[in-house]
Amino acid sequence: MNIKEPLVSICCITYNHENYIRDAIEGFIAQKTTFSFEIIIHDDASTDGTVKIIKEYARKFPDLIIPIYQSENQCAKGNKVWLDYIYPRTRGKYIALCEGDDYWIDPLKLQKQVEFLEMNPDYGLVHTHYAKYIQGENKFYRKTFSWYSNIRDGYVLDEIIQNDFIKTLTVCYRKNLIEDDFSKMITDLRNARAFTGDRLLWIYLASKTKIKYFSQEMAIYRVLNSSASHFTNYYDEYNFYNSIKILEEYCVQKFDVSNTTVENIKYKWDWYNLRHCFIIIDKKNIKYYINNMINNNKYIVKTAIISIIILNDKIWAWVVSIFMKRKYLFKKL
């Protein structure tokens, strides 16, 4: 394969993925394409055997794999690993992403995605269906996710702000859509203590271009106990979702979205905060969030029920006794 002018740059971020990185790399090199591609693997100072495995493959495929090794963990230092270290090295017209603990199972994934993008210049990103592999249970989860049955093609900015239905390991998008303002947005959100992940990238691209969804299962998303969305205590869960709240509220102000989307985001997080107040037994703020929602006819029945709960001392005492049993959630802080 001649990769002097790769059409696609496959970008992989990895850290302590010794047990999984082989699956990821094998999925990359198994791609059957009519075009050249490159594989850029960034290791963020792994402390296990990940680097050794990457070096093994880099020796076997020196014209294909471009490794980047860090001596210090850049993510922990707050650096923008993707923008600072990986993106400047990419040469492809298109970018495909997959983290080191996930992997591709369709050898024609890139071919299908690039063919579509080449034939449809008004589309800037293609994502696909995927399956989950629960590492701790050693089993696959292939049940159709409910939101995937309603995914639209085209301009989906409003939908992607409200629901995170694009998975990093499934995407291929046009590199030239990423402009300088994207870096500033990441900085703004980090200063606001928001966990952006790749969610901001999908929203950013959706504000610029049409998006295509392939319903074929082309990749495996590995669920690990140590993943960012796996929680061992309630405060970790709350802080994680609160950072997503900051991201979504930022985006509805930044981008041109419908009034319905603005309202849906507001009430979604009012309800989440209401749930939080019930868990920590915060009666004062429960009333505050109910007052915020009282004029929203869509939730009038729920609001009425909650109002009855907090206004009736006996019912409230019963609710508190139920939630007090959930105090185990706070054990590990």
Side-chain angles (χ1 to χ4, degrees):
M1 180 179 292
N2 177 11
I3 65 161
K4 290 183 178 179
E5 295 182 359
L7 186 62
V8 178
S9 295
I10 301 172
C11 301
C12 177
I13 295 177
T14 188
Y15 174 71
N16 283 356
H17 289 153
E18 176 183 15
N19 296 326
Y20 322 117
I21 189 64
R22 287 187 186 277
D23 288 341
I25 297 176
E26 289 290 342
F28 303 152
I29 62 179
Q31 292 298 300
K32 299 177 181 179
T33 64
T34 57
F35 50 82
S36 298
F37 59 86
E38 63 183 357
I39 304 169
I40 301 176
I41 305 177
H42 177 280
D43 180 82
D44 205 7
S46 289
T47 58
D48 61 2
T50 302
V51 170
K52 181 180 179 181
I53 295 171
I54 296 172
K55 288 181 177 180
E56 172 192 328
Y57 278 94
R59 286 192 298 269
K60 289 181 180 178
F61 304 96
D63 295 328
L64 187 61
I65 295 177
I66 302 170
I68 302 173
Y69 305 115
Q70 298 289 354
S71 58
E72 295 182 285
N73 189 281
Q74 301 303 311
C75 182
K77 295 171 68 173
N79 292 330
K80 302 170 185 174
V81 171
W82 160 238
L83 289 177
D84 293 341
Y85 299 103
I86 303 176
Y87 198 75
R89 299 286 297 273
T90 59
R91 296 177 293 164
K93 177 181 178 181
Y94 301 106
I95 303 293
L97 303 178
C98 183
E99 296 187 0
D101 53 345
D102 300 323
Y103 59 101
W104 298 344
I105 57 174
D106 186 343
L108 296 177
K109 173 186 179 292
L110 287 184
Q111 184 69 34
K112 295 172 184 177
Q113 291 179 310
V114 170
E115 281 183 355
F116 177 87
L117 291 170
E118 289 282 277
M119 295 175 61
N120 297 274
D122 53 333
Y123 279 80
L125 181 148
V126 180
H127 66 111
T128 78
H129 195 51
Y130 64 95
K132 290 182 179 181
Y133 177 71
I134 314 300
Q135 186 69 32
E137 300 176 10
N138 193 29
K139 70 177 183 180
F140 289 93
Y141 179 77
R142 283 190 163 90
K143 182 179 179 180
T144 301
F145 313 124
S146 59
W147 60 85
Y148 272 86
S149 60
N150 299 315
I151 289 181
R152 291 195 309 111
D153 295 333
Y155 291 106
V156 294
L157 176 62
D158 286 81
E159 289 94 325
I160 193 60
I161 287 181
Q162 296 181 66
N163 296 289
D164 185 13
F165 53 78
I166 297 178
K167 278 296 181 186
T168 302
L169 69 158
T170 73
V171 303
C172 182
Y173 64 90
R174 298 182 191 276
K175 176 182 176 180
N176 64 2
L177 291 172
I178 306 299
E179 299 178 358
D180 292 342
D181 60 333
F182 181 65
S183 179
K184 182 181 183 303
M185 292 174 64
I186 293 178
T187 300
D188 289 344
L189 284 162
R190 286 189 175 182
N191 290 339
R193 304 179 70 83
F195 175 80
T196 59
D198 290 321
R199 178 85 180 280
L200 177 63
L201 177 58
W202 317 143
I203 294 172
Y204 179 84
L205 292 173
S207 73
K208 292 175 170 286
T209 186
K210 292 181 180 178
I211 290 177
K212 176 67 177 179
Y213 169 61
F214 288 168
S215 60
Q216 301 100 312
E217 181 184 293
M218 297 186 182
I220 303 296
Y221 172 67
R222 198 188 305 266
V223 180
L224 304 175
N225 289 339
S226 58
S227 65
S229 57
H230 182 88
F231 312 105
T232 57
N233 68 84
Y234 174 70
Y235 281 149
D236 284 349
E237 176 190 336
Y238 175 74
N239 289 333
F240 176 79
Y241 284 108
N242 191 59
S243 70
I244 294 177
K245 169 180 176 288
I246 296 170
L247 166 65
E248 292 184 357
E249 290 177 342
Y250 173 90
C251 289
V252 297
Q253 295 177 10
K254 185 77 174 180
F255 300 111
D256 183 19
V257 299
S258 68
N259 289 334
T260 299
T261 296
V262 175
E263 292 175 1
N264 287 344
I265 293 296
K266 178 183 183 301
Y267 288 113
K268 166 183 165 181
W269 292 110
D270 275 348
W271 277 108
Y272 185 80
N273 284 326
L274 185 61
R275 169 184 174 272
H276 171 66
C277 290
F278 264 104
I279 290 175
I280 65 172
I281 321 300
D282 185 348
K283 191 172 184 178
K284 178 181 177 181
N285 279 313
I286 288 175
K287 292 180 179 179
Y288 169 79
Y289 286 111
I290 285 178
N291 287 333
N292 278 358
M293 298 182 288
I294 201 70
N295 294 322
N296 184 18
N297 292 330
K298 184 165 56 174
Y299 293 114
I300 194 66
V301 174
K302 290 182 180 179
T303 304
I305 292 172
I306 294 173
S307 298
I308 292 172
I309 289 174
I310 67 170
L311 291 175
N312 186 295
D313 290 340
K314 290 184 178 180
I315 297 178
W316 173 250
W318 176 78
V319 169
V320 168
S321 69
I322 295 297
F323 278 100
M324 286 298 288
K325 294 178 181 178
R326 301 186 61 184
K327 287 298 183 180
Y328 70 90
L329 291 168
F330 298 88
K331 287 183 179 179
K332 298 180 181 179
L333 301 181

